[in-house]
Coordinates of all heavy atoms in Angstrom, one line a residue:
L1 N 0.8 -1.2 0.0 CA 0.0 0.0 0.0 C 0.9 1.3 0.0 O 0.6 2.2 -0.7 CB -0.9 0.0 1.2 CG -2.0 -1.1 1.2 CD1 -2.8 -1.1 2.5 CD2 -3.0 -0.8 0.0
M2 N 2.0 1.2 0.7 CA 2.9 2.3 0.8 C 3.6 2.5 -0.5 O 3.8 3.7 -1.0 CB 3.9 2.2 1.9 CG 4.7 3.4 2.2 SD 3.7 4.9 2.7 CE 3.2 4.4 4.4
V3 N 3.9 1.5 -1.3 CA 4.5 1.6 -2.6 C 3.5 2.4 -3.5 O 3.9 3.3 -4.2 CB 4.7 0.2 -3.2 CG1 4.9 0.3 -4.8 CG2 5.9 -0.5 -2.6
L4 N 2.2 2.0 -3.4 CA 1.2 2.8 -4.2 C 1.1 4.2 -3.8 O 1.0 5.1 -4.6 CB -0.2 2.0 -4.2 CG -0.2 0.6 -4.7 CD1 -1.6 0.0 -4.5 CD2 0.3 0.5 -6.1
A5 N 1.1 4.4 -2.5 CA 1.0 5.8 -2.0 C 2.2 6.6 -2.4 O 2.1 7.8 -2.7 CB 1.0 5.8 -0.4
Q6 N 3.4 6.0 -2.5 CA 4.6 6.8 -2.9 C 4.5 7.1 -4.4 O 4.9 8.2 -4.8 CB 5.9 5.9 -2.7 CG 6.2 5.8 -1.2 CD 6.7 7.0 -0.5 OE1 6.7 8.1 -1.1 NE2 6.9 6.9 0.8
L7 N 3.9 6.2 -5.2 CA 3.7 6.5 -6.6 C 2.8 7.8 -6.8 O 3.1 8.7 -7.5 CB 3.1 5.3 -7.4 CG 4.0 4.1 -7.6 CD1 3.2 3.0 -8.1 CD2 5.2 4.4 -8.5
K8 N 1.7 7.8 -6.0 CA 0.8 8.9 -6.1 C 1.5 10.2 -5.6 O 1.3 11.2 -6.2 CB -0.5 8.6 -5.3 CG -1.4 7.6 -6.0 CD -2.7 7.5 -5.3 CE -3.5 8.8 -5.4 NZ -4.8 8.8 -4.9
A9 N 2.2 10.1 -4.5 CA 2.9 11.2 -4.0 C 3.9 11.8 -5.0 O 4.2 13.0 -4.9 CB 3.6 10.9 -2.6
A10 N 4.5 10.9 -5.8 CA 5.4 11.4 -6.8 C 4.7 11.9 -8.1 O 5.3 12.3 -9.1 CB 6.3 10.2 -7.3
G11 N 3.4 12.0 -8.0 CA 2.6 12.6 -9.1 C 2.3 11.6 -10.2 O 1.9 12.0 -11.3
I12 N 2.4 10.3 -9.9 CA 2.1 9.3 -10.9 C 0.7 8.8 -10.8 O 0.3 8.3 -9.7 CB 3.1 8.1 -10.8 CG1 4.5 8.6 -11.0 CG2 2.7 7.0 -11.8 CD1 5.6 7.7 -10.7
D13 N -0.1 9.1 -11.8 CA -1.5 8.6 -11.8 C -1.5 7.0 -11.9 O -0.8 6.5 -12.8 CB -2.3 9.2 -13.0 CG -3.7 8.8 -13.0 OD1 -4.1 7.7 -12.5 OD2 -4.5 9.5 -13.6
L14 N -2.1 6.3 -11.0 CA -2.0 4.9 -10.9 C -2.6 4.3 -12.2 O -2.3 3.1 -12.5 CB -2.7 4.3 -9.7 CG -2.0 4.7 -8.4 CD1 -2.8 4.1 -7.2 CD2 -0.6 4.3 -8.3
D15 N -3.4 5.0 -13.0 CA -3.9 4.5 -14.2 C -2.8 4.4 -15.3 O -3.0 3.8 -16.3 CB -5.1 5.3 -14.7 CG -6.4 5.1 -13.9 OD1 -6.6 3.9 -13.5 OD2 -7.1 6.0 -13.6
R16 N -1.7 5.1 -15.0 CA -0.5 5.0 -16.0 C 0.3 3.8 -15.8 O 1.2 3.5 -16.6 CB 0.3 6.3 -15.8 CG -0.3 7.5 -16.3 CD 0.6 8.8 -16.0 NE 1.9 8.6 -16.5 CZ 3.0 9.2 -16.0 NH1 2.9 10.0 -15.0 NH2 4.2 9.0 -16.5
V17 N 0.0 3.0 -14.7 CA 0.8 1.8 -14.5 C 0.5 0.8 -15.6 O -0.7 0.5 -15.9 CB 0.5 1.1 -13.1 CG1 1.1 -0.2 -13.0 CG2 1.0 2.1 -12.0
T18 N 1.5 0.3 -16.3 CA 1.3 -0.7 -17.4 C 1.7 -2.1 -17.0 O 1.3 -3.0 -17.6 CB 2.0 -0.3 -18.7 OG1 3.4 -0.2 -18.4 CG2 1.5 1.1 -19.2
R19 N 2.5 -2.1 -15.9 CA 2.9 -3.4 -15.4 C 3.7 -3.3 -14.1 O 4.5 -2.3 -13.9 CB 3.9 -4.1 -16.4 CG 4.3 -5.5 -16.0 CD 3.2 -6.5 -16.2 NE 3.4 -7.8 -15.7 CZ 3.2 -8.9 -16.3 NH1 2.8 -8.9 -17.6 NH2 3.4 -10.1 -15.7
V20 N 3.3 -4.1 -13.1 CA 4.2 -4.2 -11.9 C 5.2 -5.2 -12.3 O 4.9 -6.4 -12.6 CB 3.4 -4.7 -10.7 CG1 4.3 -4.9 -9.5 CG2 2.2 -3.7 -10.4
V21 N 6.4 -4.7 -12.5 CA 7.5 -5.6 -13.1 C 8.1 -6.5 -12.0 O 8.3 -7.7 -12.2 CB 8.6 -4.7 -13.7 CG1 9.8 -5.5 -14.2 CG2 8.0 -3.8 -14.8
K22 N 8.5 -5.9 -10.9 CA 9.2 -6.7 -9.8 C 9.0 -6.1 -8.4 O 9.0 -4.9 -8.3 CB 10.7 -6.8 -10.1 CG 11.4 -7.7 -9.2 CD 12.9 -7.9 -9.5 CE 13.5 -8.9 -8.6 NZ 14.9 -9.0 -8.8
L23 N 8.8 -7.0 -7.5 CA 8.8 -6.6 -6.1 C 10.0 -7.3 -5.4 O 10.3 -8.5 -5.7 CB 7.5 -7.1 -5.4 CG 6.2 -6.4 -5.8 CD1 5.1 -7.0 -4.9 CD2 6.2 -4.9 -5.8
G24 N 10.6 -6.6 -4.5 CA 11.6 -7.2 -3.6 C 11.1 -7.2 -2.2 O 10.7 -6.1 -1.7
A25 N 11.0 -8.3 -1.6 CA 10.4 -8.4 -0.2 C 11.6 -8.9 0.7 O 12.2 -9.9 0.5 CB 9.3 -9.4 -0.1
F26 N 11.8 -8.1 1.8 CA 12.8 -8.4 2.8 C 12.1 -8.7 4.1 O 11.3 -7.8 4.6 CB 13.8 -7.2 2.9 CG 14.4 -6.8 1.6 CD1 13.7 -5.9 0.8 CD2 15.5 -7.4 1.1 CE1 14.3 -5.5 -0.5 CE2 16.1 -7.1 -0.1 CZ 15.4 -6.1 -0.9
V27 N 12.3 -9.8 4.6 CA 11.6 -10.3 5.8 C 12.5 -10.4 7.0 O 13.5 -11.2 6.9 CB 10.9 -11.7 5.5 CG1 10.2 -12.2 6.7 CG2 10.0 -11.6 4.3
N28 N 12.3 -9.6 8.0 CA 13.1 -9.7 9.2 C 12.7 -11.0 9.9 O 11.6 -11.2 10.4 CB 12.7 -8.5 10.1 CG 13.5 -8.4 11.4 OD1 14.2 -9.3 11.7 ND2 13.3 -7.3 12.1
C29 N 13.6 -11.9 10.0 CA 13.3 -13.3 10.5 C 14.5 -14.0 11.2 O 15.6 -13.6 11.0 CB 12.8 -14.1 9.4 SG 13.9 -14.5 8.0
T30 N 14.1 -15.0 11.9 CA 15.1 -15.9 12.5 C 15.9 -16.7 11.4 O 15.3 -16.9 10.3 CB 14.5 -16.8 13.5 OG1 13.5 -17.6 12.8 CG2 13.8 -16.0 14.6
P31 N 17.1 -17.2 11.7 CA 17.8 -17.9 10.7 C 17.1 -19.1 10.2 O 17.3 -19.5 9.0 CB 19.1 -18.3 11.4 CG 19.3 -17.3 12.5 CD 17.9 -16.9 12.9
E32 N 16.3 -19.8 11.0 CA 15.7 -21.0 10.5 C 14.3 -20.8 9.8 O 13.8 -21.7 9.3 CB 15.5 -22.0 11.7 CG 14.5 -21.6 12.7 CD 15.1 -20.5 13.8 OE1 16.3 -20.3 13.8 OE2 14.3 -20.0 14.5
Y33 N 13.9 -19.6 9.7 CA 12.6 -19.3 9.1 C 12.7 -19.4 7.6 O 13.6 -18.9 7.0 CB 12.2 -17.8 9.5 CG 10.8 -17.5 9.1 CD1 9.7 -18.0 9.9 CD2 10.4 -16.8 8.0 CE1 8.4 -17.7 9.6 CE2 9.1 -16.5 7.7 CZ 8.1 -17.0 8.5 OH 6.8 -16.7 8.2
T34 N 11.7 -20.1 7.0 CA 11.7 -20.4 5.6 C 10.5 -20.0 4.8 O 10.3 -20.3 3.6 CB 12.0 -21.8 5.3 OG1 11.0 -22.7 5.9 CG2 13.4 -22.2 5.8
D35 N 9.6 -19.3 5.5 CA 8.3 -18.9 4.8 C 8.3 -17.5 4.2 O 7.2 -16.9 4.1 CB 7.1 -19.1 5.8 CG 6.7 -20.5 5.9 OD1 7.0 -21.3 5.0 OD2 6.0 -20.9 6.9
Q36 N 9.5 -17.0 3.9 CA 9.5 -15.6 3.3 C 8.6 -15.5 2.1 O 7.9 -14.5 1.9 CB 11.0 -15.3 2.9 CG 11.9 -15.1 4.1 CD 12.6 -16.5 4.5 OE1 12.2 -17.5 4.0 NE2 13.5 -16.4 5.4
P37 N 8.5 -16.5 1.2 CA 7.6 -16.3 0.0 C 6.2 -16.2 0.4 O 5.4 -15.4 -0.2 CB 7.8 -17.6 -0.8 CG 9.2 -18.1 -0.4 CD 9.4 -17.7 1.0
K38 N 5.8 -16.9 1.5 CA 4.4 -16.8 2.0 C 4.1 -15.4 2.5 O 3.1 -14.8 2.4 CB 4.1 -17.8 3.0 CG 4.0 -19.2 2.4 CD 3.7 -20.2 3.5 CE 3.7 -21.7 2.9 NZ 3.5 -22.7 4.0
V39 N 5.1 -14.8 3.2 CA 5.0 -13.5 3.8 C 4.9 -12.5 2.6 O 4.0 -11.6 2.6 CB 6.2 -13.1 4.7 CG1 6.2 -11.6 5.1 CG2 6.3 -14.0 5.9
A40 N 5.8 -12.6 1.6 CA 5.8 -11.7 0.5 C 4.4 -11.7 -0.3 O 4.1 -10.7 -0.9 CB 6.9 -12.0 -0.4
N41 N 3.7 -12.8 -0.2 CA 2.4 -12.9 -0.9 C 1.5 -11.8 -0.4 O 0.6 -11.4 -1.2 CB 1.8 -14.2 -0.7 CG 2.4 -15.3 -1.5 OD1 3.1 -15.1 -2.4 ND2 2.1 -16.6 -1.2
G42 N 1.7 -11.2 0.8 CA 0.8 -10.1 1.2 C 0.9 -8.9 0.2 O -0.1 -8.3 -0.1

């Protein structure tokens, strides 16, 4: 949601989006945690 808010704050009309190309998700986790992809699904 904050990504979208930043686009709008930069003056980009969300109707101009032609593709979400890539997301990078960084998950603060313990060393044995392996569900980062499930978290990023949010």
Side-chain angles (χ1 to χ4, degrees):
L1 291 171
M2 190 61 73
V3 165
L4 300 180
Q6 292 292 1
L7 291 171
K8 285 189 67 171
I12 299 168
D13 183 335
L14 296 179
D15 288 321
R16 289 178 51 209
V17 171
T18 60
R19 183 75 190 225
V20 177
V21 177
K22 185 174 183 185
L23 296 182
F26 305 90
V27 180
N28 183 353
C29 61
T30 60
E32 66 280 353
Y33 191 78
T34 59
D35 280 339
Q36 294 87 352
K38 291 179 184 175
V39 172
N41 284 346

